[in-house]
Amino acid sequence: MTIPNLITILRLVLVPAVLLAMLQARWDWAFAGFLVAGISDGVDGFIARRFNQQSTLGAYLD
């Protein structure tokens, strides 16, 4: 399991929290979750390319 894959899995775990925030009209928390998801997507892609940590699982998850 590579670090980029772990970041991607953590991003998937974040989805229910964002949905719950949206259902409760907590737009600040929902926005923060989207922001974290967007930044983490860029970070995991950078790490995968920079440190040659591409994987088949990562390709499917991304």
Side-chain angles (χ1 to χ4, degrees):
M1 181 73 58
T2 65
I3 291 173
N5 287 349
L6 291 174
I7 293 171
T8 299
I9 290 169
L10 289 174
R11 190 167 52 248
L12 289 173
V13 171
L14 183 63
V15 170
V18 170
L19 287 174
L20 183 62
M22 291 172 70
L23 289 172
Q24 294 177 347
R26 294 295 315 261
W27 305 115
D28 50 345
W29 284 101
F31 177 73
F34 275 114
L35 191 64
V36 167
I39 291 170
S40 69
D41 187 42
V43 169
D44 81 42
F46 171 77
I47 292 171
R49 285 187 303 276
R50 174 72 170 91
F51 297 103
N52 197 26
Q53 293 188 357
Q54 295 96 342
S55 69
T56 305
L57 175 62
Y60 284 119
L61 291 175
D62 248 2

